[in-house]
Amino acid sequence: MTDTRVVTATAGPEPVRRSHWWTWPLLSAPVAWLVFVAVHRLLSGRVWWWQAPELAPPLVFAVLPVLLLAVALTARRARGWVAAVTLASLVLGAGLSGLNPAALWHRPPPAPPGAITVFSWNTLYWDMVTGGETMPPPTGAPSRDIDDFYRYLHAQKADVYLLQEYVYFGPDSKAVRVDDLARLRTEFPGYHIAAASELVTVSRFPIVLQQGLDLRPWVAERRDAILPPDPGLPDFSAVKTLRTDVRVGGESGSGGDGGKIVSLYNTHINSPVHAFPKGMDPRRLNRTQHERRRANLRALAADVERNPHPVVLAGDFNASPAMGILDLLPDRLVDATPVLGSLYPTSWDDRWPLWRIDWAFTTPDVTVHRYGLVRSEGLSDHSGQHLVVSTRG
């Protein structure tokens, strides 16, 4: 009898699929970034100890999620989960990136006759480099000539100039008052001038009200947020916005009963960081800077809210699109950014511009017909803001 045996082949154990060691870091990075963006949204502009993360370049909120997605998808695992998390961080951070997609479709109406040209500019300590011979130039300041300074201003052909850093600094870092009003009147004959603290407004239209907005009533709990006044410029620490009401129209701009009142706010909000004075606790100083920034914006917002006139607000806010402190501005103000023709507008540092910290806002009864950022030709570290506006009604 033949012995027939059936041999059954059995498969060996399935190989274990092992993830590369770098898989989990790649998958966790999008989650970490989403958490950072959510925390940033919650804390930015609200607590002083978040000021360092606020200094991240705004564009990182758009670029980093895309890079994280491209890299993380190489792990081949949980692609849908990674895509969802990355998309969530991209959407949550979109308004922080500084991108201006409205530039692709927004077309403002043409300016009517009688429209107002406004030029706002942080001058980088006025003419300190050559005009203040007893003052050392600020660190990193470009070399410039006072005649070039005024040629640049004239080239803007503005009806109103909103100029910041009308101030010198001495060797001891104390503010020193500038006295250049005689030269301004010579350079701009027939114009009217208002000045407060480190701010000066030069207007072709008659000035009917000028008022520096004092932040001191708005420092709720920390009275030490007001640094001691500089002897050379006592209101330097307390006044960072100059309101100037001008009468537009009327009888040949004579300031009679005709015409309309327009309020122009010239502002320079404190920076989020400050050079540490010798002997001062950096922690206390950073908290002080934060409180002063918030107080200045509260003072500005309160004045705008009760102002019945059309408003144009422009200046150096020392705040990038990623900084939540701009949320303190009143809701009735309209951001002029959509009128800019750039997808990623920048104003600082003017030599290598990567951030935007100079802004312009109006009330709804003001139409912005043109808005551009004007390079300073080496005269400042800030670009100027050039606007053409008109009022309705």
Side-chain angles (χ1 to χ4, degrees):
M1 182 175 181
T2 304
D3 185 10
T4 303
R5 297 182 180 182
V6 178
V7 179
T8 304
T10 58
E14 293 187 5
V16 178
R17 295 184 179 180
R18 298 182 181 276
S19 299
H20 294 289
W21 64 267
W22 42 263
T23 298
W24 289 111
L26 286 178
L27 295 178
S28 60
V31 176
W33 178 247
L34 176 59
V35 171
F36 174 83
V37 175
V39 171
H40 181 83
R41 281 283 194 184
L42 180 66
L43 300 180
S44 179
R46 293 180 174 87
V47 295
W48 67 269
W49 43 267
W50 194 255
Q51 289 182 120
E54 285 183 318
L55 300 178
L59 200 55
V60 74
F61 289 91
V63 173
L64 188 57
V66 175
L67 294 178
L68 286 174
L69 179 61
V71 174
L73 289 182
T74 63
R76 297 184 180 180
R77 299 184 64 182
R79 290 186 177 183
W81 175 79
V82 169
V85 171
T86 307
L87 181 60
S89 67
L90 185 63
V91 171
L92 189 61
L96 309 173
S97 68
L99 293 175
N100 179 34
L104 297 174
W105 63 78
H106 185 79
R107 296 295 179 268
I116 306 168
T117 302
V118 179
F119 183 68
S120 172
W121 185 40
N122 182 321
T123 64
L124 186 60
Y125 309 125
W126 204 247
D127 62 337
M128 183 174 174
V129 172
T130 55
E133 289 81 0
T134 62
M135 307 296 170
T139 303
S143 176
R144 60 184 174 183
D145 181 83
I146 184 60
D147 292 330
D148 291 336
F149 176 80
Y150 278 103
R151 274 194 293 269
Y152 177 77
L153 290 179
H154 283 299
Q156 311 313 319
K157 297 179 169 43
D159 298 310
V160 180
Y161 293 84
L162 308 177
L163 306 175
Q164 302 97 48
E165 290 197 3
Y166 180 62
V167 64
Y168 294 148
F169 279 93
D172 56 356
S173 298
K174 297 296 185 182
V176 179
R177 187 181 300 278
V178 176
D179 185 9
D180 205 27
L181 297 185
R183 176 73 185 259
L184 277 168
R185 292 189 179 98
T186 300
E187 294 286 344
F188 296 95
Y191 278 63
H192 308 264
I193 300 174
S197 184
E198 50 139 324
L199 308 160
V200 61
T201 297
V202 183
S203 169
R204 183 173 67 84
F205 308 108
I207 295 173
V208 299
L209 172 70
Q210 64 180 75
Q211 177 184 359
L213 304 186
D214 196 323
L215 68 84
R216 281 170 289 194
W218 297 94
V219 181
E221 298 176 356
R222 292 184 51 82
R223 304 303 300 179
D224 61 341
I226 309 300
L227 297 180
D230 290 293
L233 192 58
D235 57 351
F236 178 71
S237 295
V239 174
K240 293 297 183 183
T241 299
L242 170 61
R243 170 182 168 178
T244 307
D245 290 3
V246 301
R247 189 181 301 279
V248 179
E251 298 179 2
S252 301
S254 62
D257 294 335
K260 173 180 289 188
I261 303 299
V262 178
S263 294
L264 297 134
Y265 289 81
N266 177 4
T267 195
H268 185 191
I269 303 302
N270 315 77
S271 64
V273 293
H274 195 285
F276 298 151
K278 187 176 181 179
M280 180 171 283
D281 177 19
R283 181 177 177 274
R284 174 179 174 269
L285 185 58
N286 279 336
R287 182 170 181 176
T288 295
Q289 281 295 100
H290 174 73
E291 294 294 335
R292 291 169 69 193
R293 281 160 62 80
R294 289 181 61 86
N296 273 305
L297 284 168
R298 285 194 185 106
L300 172 59
D303 198 86
V304 169
E305 287 286 11
R306 60 175 176 260
N307 188 342
H309 306 303
V311 166
V312 176
L313 162 64
D316 174 9
F317 284 77
N318 272 308
S320 77
M323 295 183 180
I325 201 161
L326 290 175
D327 293 340
L328 291 176
L329 290 172
D331 292 337
R332 67 185 291 246
L333 287 179
V334 180
D335 187 355
T337 298
V339 185
L340 287 169
S342 172
L343 284 172
Y344 185 66
T346 59
S347 67
W348 185 88
D349 184 314
D350 189 68
R351 290 156 289 189
W352 298 96
L354 294 175
W355 281 266
R356 180 185 179 200
I357 60 176
D358 301 88
W359 298 83
F361 302 87
T362 68
T363 44
D365 50 359
V366 176
T367 301
V368 181
H369 302 279
R370 292 196 295 274
Y371 181 21
L373 297 172
V374 184
R375 297 304 177 215
S376 70
E377 302 176 9
L379 295 170
S380 174
D381 57 346
H382 287 256
S383 297
Q385 301 183 87
H386 193 277
L387 301 101
V388 177
V389 302
S390 67
T391 59
R392 297 187 289 276

mmCIF file of all heavy atoms in Angstrom, residues 198-237:
data_model
loop_
_atom_site.group_PDB
_atom_site.id
_atom_site.type_symbol
_atom_site.label_atom_id
_atom_site.label_comp_id
_atom_site.label_asym_id
_atom_site.label_seq_id
_atom_site.Cartn_x
_atom_site.Cartn_y
_atom_site.Cartn_z
ATOM 1 N N GLU A 198 6.147 113.735 21.553
ATOM 2 C CA GLU A 198 7.050 113.473 20.430
ATOM 3 C C GLU A 198 6.304 113.477 19.095
ATOM 4 O O GLU A 198 6.760 112.902 18.110
ATOM 5 C CB GLU A 198 7.728 112.116 20.619
ATOM 6 C CG GLU A 198 6.736 111.009 20.940
ATOM 7 C CD GLU A 198 7.021 109.703 20.243
ATOM 8 O OE1 GLU A 198 7.467 109.733 19.090
ATOM 9 O OE2 GLU A 198 6.776 108.660 20.865
ATOM 10 N N LEU A 199 5.150 114.116 19.037
ATOM 11 C CA LEU A 199 4.277 114.080 17.871
ATOM 12 C C LEU A 199 4.065 115.485 17.328
ATOM 13 O O LEU A 199 3.875 116.426 18.095
ATOM 14 C CB LEU A 199 2.926 113.465 18.234
ATOM 15 C CG LEU A 199 3.007 112.102 18.947
ATOM 16 C CD1 LEU A 199 1.715 111.799 19.683
ATOM 17 C CD2 LEU A 199 3.321 111.009 17.936
ATOM 18 N N VAL A 200 4.078 115.607 16.012
ATOM 19 C CA VAL A 200 3.791 116.893 15.391
ATOM 20 C C VAL A 200 2.912 116.651 14.168
ATOM 21 O O VAL A 200 3.141 115.723 13.388
ATOM 22 C CB VAL A 200 5.078 117.659 15.002
ATOM 23 C CG1 VAL A 200 5.915 116.882 13.997
ATOM 24 C CG2 VAL A 200 4.763 119.044 14.473
ATOM 25 N N THR A 201 1.856 117.459 14.038
ATOM 26 C CA THR A 201 0.930 117.390 12.903
ATOM 27 C C THR A 201 0.984 118.718 12.165
ATOM 28 O O THR A 201 0.853 119.781 12.779
ATOM 29 C CB THR A 201 -0.505 117.104 13.385
ATOM 30 O OG1 THR A 201 -0.536 115.812 14.012
ATOM 31 C CG2 THR A 201 -1.488 117.129 12.228
ATOM 32 N N VAL A 202 1.192 118.634 10.867
ATOM 33 C CA VAL A 202 1.291 119.814 10.009
ATOM 34 C C VAL A 202 0.136 119.751 9.024
ATOM 35 O O VAL A 202 0.018 118.790 8.250
ATOM 36 C CB VAL A 202 2.645 119.847 9.272
ATOM 37 C CG1 VAL A 202 2.772 121.115 8.436
ATOM 38 C CG2 VAL A 202 3.807 119.741 10.261
ATOM 39 N N SER A 203 -0.743 120.765 9.044
ATOM 40 C CA SER A 203 -1.996 120.701 8.300
ATOM 41 C C SER A 203 -2.198 121.929 7.418
ATOM 42 O O SER A 203 -2.027 123.067 7.876
ATOM 43 C CB SER A 203 -3.183 120.578 9.271
ATOM 44 O OG SER A 203 -4.413 120.757 8.605
ATOM 45 N N ARG A 204 -2.575 121.673 6.180
ATOM 46 C CA ARG A 204 -2.956 122.777 5.289
ATOM 47 C C ARG A 204 -4.283 123.392 5.710
ATOM 48 O O ARG A 204 -4.571 124.551 5.392
ATOM 49 C CB ARG A 204 -3.047 122.256 3.847
ATOM 50 C CG ARG A 204 -3.367 123.334 2.805
ATOM 51 C CD ARG A 204 -3.254 122.760 1.416
ATOM 52 N NE ARG A 204 -4.276 121.767 1.138
ATOM 53 C CZ ARG A 204 -5.509 122.033 0.717
ATOM 54 N NH1 ARG A 204 -5.898 123.296 0.580
ATOM 55 N NH2 ARG A 204 -6.355 121.062 0.452
ATOM 56 N N PHE A 205 -5.080 122.626 6.434
ATOM 57 C CA PHE A 205 -6.393 123.091 6.878
ATOM 58 C C PHE A 205 -6.285 123.713 8.268
ATOM 59 O O PHE A 205 -5.438 123.328 9.074
ATOM 60 C CB PHE A 205 -7.378 121.925 6.903
ATOM 61 C CG PHE A 205 -7.444 121.157 5.621
ATOM 62 C CD1 PHE A 205 -6.898 119.880 5.529
ATOM 63 C CD2 PHE A 205 -8.022 121.716 4.489
ATOM 64 C CE1 PHE A 205 -6.947 119.172 4.337
ATOM 65 C CE2 PHE A 205 -8.082 121.013 3.297
ATOM 66 C CZ PHE A 205 -7.537 119.741 3.221
ATOM 67 N N PRO A 206 -7.153 124.664 8.573
ATOM 68 C CA PRO A 206 -7.129 125.283 9.900
ATOM 69 C C PRO A 206 -7.369 124.261 11.009
ATOM 70 O O PRO A 206 -8.206 123.366 10.886
ATOM 71 C CB PRO A 206 -8.273 126.309 9.840
ATOM 72 C CG PRO A 206 -8.497 126.562 8.390
ATOM 73 C CD PRO A 206 -8.179 125.278 7.686
ATOM 74 N N ILE A 207 -6.616 124.388 12.073
ATOM 75 C CA ILE A 207 -6.766 123.509 13.231
ATOM 76 C C ILE A 207 -7.731 124.154 14.221
ATOM 77 O O ILE A 207 -7.520 125.284 14.658
ATOM 78 C CB ILE A 207 -5.395 123.257 13.893
ATOM 79 C CG1 ILE A 207 -4.480 122.484 12.938
ATOM 80 C CG2 ILE A 207 -5.560 122.497 15.211
ATOM 81 C CD1 ILE A 207 -3.058 122.331 13.438
ATOM 82 N N VAL A 208 -8.796 123.436 14.567
ATOM 83 C CA VAL A 208 -9.780 123.969 15.503
ATOM 84 C C VAL A 208 -9.673 123.326 16.880
ATOM 85 O O VAL A 208 -10.264 123.809 17.841
ATOM 86 C CB VAL A 208 -11.212 123.795 14.948
ATOM 87 C CG1 VAL A 208 -11.368 124.565 13.636
ATOM 88 C CG2 VAL A 208 -11.555 122.320 14.732
ATOM 89 N N LEU A 209 -8.933 122.216 16.979
ATOM 90 C CA LEU A 209 -8.724 121.569 18.271
ATOM 91 C C LEU A 209 -7.450 120.743 18.193
ATOM 92 O O LEU A 209 -7.214 120.043 17.214
ATOM 93 C CB LEU A 209 -9.895 120.648 18.626
ATOM 94 C CG LEU A 209 -9.706 119.760 19.862
ATOM 95 C CD1 LEU A 209 -9.721 120.596 21.140
ATOM 96 C CD2 LEU A 209 -10.769 118.669 19.930
ATOM 97 N N GLN A 210 -6.618 120.828 19.221
ATOM 98 C CA GLN A 210 -5.480 119.927 19.345
ATOM 99 C C GLN A 210 -5.398 119.443 20.779
ATOM 100 O O GLN A 210 -5.556 120.207 21.729
ATOM 101 C CB GLN A 210 -4.179 120.606 18.923
ATOM 102 C CG GLN A 210 -3.755 121.787 19.774
ATOM 103 C CD GLN A 210 -2.456 122.396 19.268
ATOM 104 O OE1 GLN A 210 -2.433 123.093 18.248
ATOM 105 N NE2 GLN A 210 -1.373 122.124 19.976
ATOM 106 N N GLN A 211 -5.175 118.146 20.935
ATOM 107 C CA GLN A 211 -5.221 117.559 22.267
ATOM 108 C C GLN A 211 -4.342 116.313 22.304
ATOM 109 O O GLN A 211 -4.506 115.390 21.506
ATOM 110 C CB GLN A 211 -6.655 117.185 22.632
ATOM 111 C CG GLN A 211 -6.815 116.496 23.977
ATOM 112 C CD GLN A 211 -8.239 116.066 24.227
ATOM 113 O OE1 GLN A 211 -9.131 116.293 23.406
ATOM 114 N NE2 GLN A 211 -8.471 115.433 25.363
ATOM 115 N N GLY A 212 -3.392 116.298 23.242
ATOM 116 C CA GLY A 212 -2.621 115.091 23.495
ATOM 117 C C GLY A 212 -3.412 114.176 24.408
ATOM 118 O O GLY A 212 -3.968 114.616 25.424
ATOM 119 N N LEU A 213 -3.510 112.904 24.062
ATOM 120 C CA LEU A 213 -4.284 111.952 24.862
ATOM 121 C C LEU A 213 -3.387 111.359 25.945
ATOM 122 O O LEU A 213 -2.408 110.674 25.655
ATOM 123 C CB LEU A 213 -4.844 110.842 23.965
ATOM 124 C CG LEU A 213 -5.699 111.307 22.779
ATOM 125 C CD1 LEU A 213 -6.308 110.102 22.075
ATOM 126 C CD2 LEU A 213 -6.775 112.284 23.212
ATOM 127 N N ASP A 214 -3.741 111.614 27.177
ATOM 128 C CA ASP A 214 -2.944 111.210 28.331
ATOM 129 C C ASP A 214 -3.321 109.790 28.754
ATOM 130 O O ASP A 214 -4.497 109.491 28.975
ATOM 131 C CB ASP A 214 -3.185 112.180 29.484
ATOM 132 C CG ASP A 214 -2.136 112.076 30.574
ATOM 133 O OD1 ASP A 214 -1.681 110.955 30.849
ATOM 134 O OD2 ASP A 214 -1.775 113.118 31.149
ATOM 135 N N LEU A 215 -2.328 108.913 28.857
ATOM 136 C CA LEU A 215 -2.625 107.530 29.211
ATOM 137 C C LEU A 215 -2.827 107.321 30.716
ATOM 138 O O LEU A 215 -3.353 106.297 31.142
ATOM 139 C CB LEU A 215 -1.511 106.604 28.723
ATOM 140 C CG LEU A 215 -0.117 106.694 29.363
ATOM 141 C CD1 LEU A 215 -0.025 105.882 30.646
ATOM 142 C CD2 LEU A 215 0.943 106.225 28.392
ATOM 143 N N ARG A 216 -2.427 108.272 31.553
ATOM 144 C CA ARG A 216 -2.411 108.038 32.994
ATOM 145 C C ARG A 216 -3.761 107.656 33.592
ATOM 146 O O ARG A 216 -3.824 106.779 34.461
ATOM 147 C CB ARG A 216 -1.816 109.258 33.713
ATOM 148 C CG ARG A 216 -0.303 109.288 33.637
ATOM 149 C CD ARG A 216 0.286 110.581 34.110
ATOM 150 N NE ARG A 216 0.020 111.680 33.181
ATOM 151 C CZ ARG A 216 0.642 112.852 33.230
ATOM 152 N NH1 ARG A 216 1.558 113.080 34.152
ATOM 153 N NH2 ARG A 216 0.362 113.797 32.352
ATOM 154 N N PRO A 217 -4.890 108.242 33.145
ATOM 155 C CA PRO A 217 -6.164 107.795 33.716
ATOM 156 C C PRO A 217 -6.522 106.361 33.355
ATOM 157 O O PRO A 217 -7.441 105.788 33.949
ATOM 158 C CB PRO A 217 -7.178 108.776 33.104
ATOM 159 C CG PRO A 217 -6.372 109.969 32.709
ATOM 160 C CD PRO A 217 -5.053 109.424 32.278
ATOM 161 N N TRP A 218 -5.807 105.755 32.401
ATOM 162 C CA TRP A 218 -6.177 104.435 31.907
ATOM 163 C C TRP A 218 -5.261 103.334 32.422
ATOM 164 O O TRP A 218 -5.371 102.193 31.999
ATOM 165 C CB TRP A 218 -6.200 104.449 30.383
ATOM 166 C CG TRP A 218 -7.234 105.392 29.883
ATOM 167 C CD1 TRP A 218 -7.065 106.695 29.537
ATOM 168 C CD2 TRP A 218 -8.615 105.114 29.724
ATOM 169 N NE1 TRP A 218 -8.254 107.259 29.167
ATOM 170 C CE2 TRP A 218 -9.234 106.300 29.270
ATOM 171 C CE3 TRP A 218 -9.395 103.974 29.910
ATOM 172 C CZ2 TRP A 218 -10.593 106.376 29.009
ATOM 173 C CZ3 TRP A 218 -10.754 104.045 29.644
ATOM 174 C CH2 TRP A 218 -11.332 105.239 29.202
ATOM 175 N N VAL A 219 -4.357 103.681 33.304
ATOM 176 C CA VAL A 219 -3.550 102.654 33.956
ATOM 177 C C VAL A 219 -4.323 102.215 35.198
ATOM 178 O O VAL A 219 -4.282 102.871 36.240
ATOM 179 C CB VAL A 219 -2.154 103.186 34.326
ATOM 180 C CG1 VAL A 219 -1.324 102.084 34.984
ATOM 181 C CG2 VAL A 219 -1.444 103.696 33.086
ATOM 182 N N ALA A 220 -5.050 101.130 35.077
ATOM 183 C CA ALA A 220 -6.039 100.758 36.093
ATOM 184 C C ALA A 220 -5.407 100.428 37.440
ATOM 185 O O ALA A 220 -5.816 100.952 38.478
ATOM 186 C CB ALA A 220 -6.852 99.566 35.596
ATOM 187 N N GLU A 221 -4.430 99.548 37.475
ATOM 188 C CA GLU A 221 -3.920 99.052 38.744
ATOM 189 C C GLU A 221 -2.446 99.392 38.974
ATOM 190 O O GLU A 221 -2.020 99.523 40.108
ATOM 191 C CB GLU A 221 -4.102 97.537 38.823
ATOM 192 C CG GLU A 221 -5.561 97.103 38.761
ATOM 193 C CD GLU A 221 -5.696 95.595 38.742
ATOM 194 O OE1 GLU A 221 -4.652 94.911 38.700
ATOM 195 O OE2 GLU A 221 -6.829 95.111 38.759
ATOM 196 N N ARG A 222 -1.684 99.505 37.906
ATOM 197 C CA ARG A 222 -0.245 99.684 38.060
ATOM 198 C C ARG A 222 0.131 101.135 37.786
ATOM 199 O O ARG A 222 0.466 101.504 36.670
ATOM 200 C CB ARG A 222 0.513 98.736 37.130
ATOM 201 C CG ARG A 222 0.367 97.282 37.510
ATOM 202 C CD ARG A 222 1.210 96.399 36.613
ATOM 203 N NE ARG A 222 2.594 96.851 36.534
ATOM 204 C CZ ARG A 222 3.527 96.577 37.444
ATOM 205 N NH1 ARG A 222 3.201 95.890 38.530
ATOM 206 N NH2 ARG A 222 4.760 97.004 37.297
ATOM 207 N N ARG A 223 0.095 101.951 38.817
ATOM 208 C CA ARG A 223 0.459 103.346 38.649
ATOM 209 C C ARG A 223 1.935 103.527 38.295
ATOM 210 O O ARG A 223 2.337 104.533 37.736
ATOM 211 C CB ARG A 223 0.159 104.133 39.930
ATOM 212 C CG ARG A 223 -1.285 104.036 40.398
ATOM 213 C CD ARG A 223 -2.282 104.487 39.351
ATOM 214 N NE ARG A 223 -2.086 105.865 38.947
ATOM 215 C CZ ARG A 223 -2.820 106.481 38.017
ATOM 216 N NH1 ARG A 223 -3.771 105.812 37.390
ATOM 217 N NH2 ARG A 223 -2.588 107.734 37.709
ATOM 218 N N ASP A 224 2.763 102.510 38.642
ATOM 219 C CA ASP A 224 4.176 102.621 38.307
ATOM 220 C C ASP A 224 4.432 102.341 36.837
ATOM 221 O O ASP A 224 5.574 102.334 36.384
ATOM 222 C CB ASP A 224 5.011 101.676 39.170
ATOM 223 C CG ASP A 224 4.625 100.215 38.970
ATOM 224 O OD1 ASP A 224 3.521 99.962 38.463
ATOM 225 O OD2 ASP A 224 5.443 99.349 39.330
ATOM 226 N N ALA A 225 3.366 102.080 36.061
ATOM 227 C CA ALA A 225 3.543 101.899 34.625
ATOM 228 C C ALA A 225 3.941 103.204 33.946
ATOM 229 O O ALA A 225 4.400 103.199 32.822
ATOM 230 C CB ALA A 225 2.266 101.353 33.984
ATOM 231 N N ILE A 226 3.732 104.326 34.629
ATOM 232 C CA ILE A 226 4.188 105.602 34.099
ATOM 233 C C ILE A 226 5.615 105.819 34.589
ATOM 234 O O ILE A 226 5.856 106.008 35.774
ATOM 235 C CB ILE A 226 3.284 106.757 34.564
ATOM 236 C CG1 ILE A 226 1.826 106.435 34.281
ATOM 237 C CG2 ILE A 226 3.706 108.055 33.905
ATOM 238 C CD1 ILE A 226 1.515 106.210 32.829
ATOM 239 N N LEU A 227 6.556 105.777 33.669
ATOM 240 C CA LEU A 227 7.937 106.013 34.055
ATOM 241 C C LEU A 227 8.102 107.477 34.457
ATOM 242 O O LEU A 227 7.334 108.341 34.033
ATOM 243 C CB LEU A 227 8.866 105.664 32.893
ATOM 244 C CG LEU A 227 8.854 104.196 32.465
ATOM 245 C CD1 LEU A 227 9.810 104.001 31.298
ATOM 246 C CD2 LEU A 227 9.228 103.283 33.615
ATOM 247 N N PRO A 228 9.103 107.785 35.269
ATOM 248 C CA PRO A 228 9.323 109.175 35.675
ATOM 249 C C PRO A 228 9.463 110.083 34.455
ATOM 250 O O PRO A 228 10.073 109.694 33.450
ATOM 251 C CB PRO A 228 10.641 109.103 36.467
ATOM 252 C CG PRO A 228 10.716 107.693 36.931
ATOM 253 C CD PRO A 228 10.070 106.861 35.864
ATOM 254 N N PRO A 229 8.881 111.279 34.484
ATOM 255 C CA PRO A 229 8.944 112.160 33.315
ATOM 256 C C PRO A 229 10.369 112.574 33.003
ATOM 257 O O PRO A 229 11.179 112.802 33.894
ATOM 258 C CB PRO A 229 8.090 113.365 33.731
ATOM 259 C CG PRO A 229 8.091 113.331 35.221
ATOM 260 C CD PRO A 229 8.154 111.892 35.603
ATOM 261 N N ASP A 230 10.689 112.641 31.698
ATOM 262 C CA ASP A 230 11.987 113.142 31.275
ATOM 263 C C ASP A 230 11.997 114.652 31.436
ATOM 264 O O ASP A 230 11.086 115.339 30.951
ATOM 265 C CB ASP A 230 12.238 112.770 29.809
ATOM 266 C CG ASP A 230 12.473 111.274 29.640
ATOM 267 O OD1 ASP A 230 13.506 110.798 30.123
ATOM 268 O OD2 ASP A 230 11.625 110.603 29.034
ATOM 269 N N PRO A 231 13.003 115.213 32.097
ATOM 270 C CA PRO A 231 13.024 116.659 32.319
ATOM 271 C C PRO A 231 12.955 117.460 31.023
ATOM 272 O O PRO A 231 12.346 118.525 30.988
ATOM 273 C CB PRO A 231 14.364 116.879 33.044
ATOM 274 C CG PRO A 231 14.694 115.562 33.659
ATOM 275 C CD PRO A 231 14.142 114.529 32.721
ATOM 276 N N GLY A 232 13.562 116.929 29.956
ATOM 277 C CA GLY A 232 13.566 117.671 28.702
ATOM 278 C C GLY A 232 12.269 117.583 27.929
ATOM 279 O O GLY A 232 12.030 118.374 27.017
ATOM 280 N N LEU A 233 11.418 116.612 28.262
ATOM 281 C CA LEU A 233 10.144 116.431 27.561
ATOM 282 C C LEU A 233 9.180 115.749 28.530
ATOM 283 O O LEU A 233 8.974 114.536 28.482
ATOM 284 C CB LEU A 233 10.346 115.584 26.292
ATOM 285 C CG LEU A 233 9.190 115.528 25.290
ATOM 286 C CD1 LEU A 233 8.818 116.918 24.802
ATOM 287 C CD2 LEU A 233 9.542 114.637 24.118
ATOM 288 N N PRO A 234 8.569 116.509 29.440
ATOM 289 C CA PRO A 234 7.811 115.925 30.554
ATOM 290 C C PRO A 234 6.675 114.999 30.145
ATOM 291 O O PRO A 234 6.359 114.062 30.889
ATOM 292 C CB PRO A 234 7.282 117.164 31.293
ATOM 293 C CG PRO A 234 8.244 118.255 30.944
ATOM 294 C CD PRO A 234 8.664 117.979 29.534
ATOM 295 N N ASP A 235 6.028 115.259 29.011
ATOM 296 C CA ASP A 235 4.889 114.428 28.631
ATOM 297 C C ASP A 235 5.280 113.270 27.717
ATOM 298 O O ASP A 235 4.419 112.591 27.165
ATOM 299 C CB ASP A 235 3.806 115.278 27.963
ATOM 300 C CG ASP A 235 4.314 116.039 26.730
ATOM 301 O OD1 ASP A 235 5.544 116.044 26.497
ATOM 302 O OD2 ASP A 235 3.493 116.636 26.018
ATOM 303 N N PHE A 236 6.569 112.994 27.567
ATOM 304 C CA PHE A 236 7.020 111.963 26.632
ATOM 305 C C PHE A 236 6.459 110.589 26.980
ATOM 306 O O PHE A 236 6.058 109.832 26.097
ATOM 307 C CB PHE A 236 8.551 111.916 26.607
ATOM 308 C CG PHE A 236 9.111 110.849 25.713
ATOM 309 C CD1 PHE A 236 9.034 110.961 24.340
ATOM 310 C CD2 PHE A 236 9.719 109.718 26.256
ATOM 311 C CE1 PHE A 236 9.549 109.974 23.518
ATOM 312 C CE2 PHE A 236 10.236 108.730 25.442
ATOM 313 C CZ PHE A 236 10.149 108.861 24.070
ATOM 314 N N SER A 237 6.429 110.235 28.268
ATOM 315 C CA SER A 237 5.960 108.913 28.675
ATOM 316 C C SER A 237 4.440 108.809 28.722
ATOM 317 O O SER A 237 3.900 107.708 28.632
ATOM 318 C CB SER A 237 6.528 108.551 30.050
ATOM 319 O OG SER A 237 7.927 108.432 30.003
#
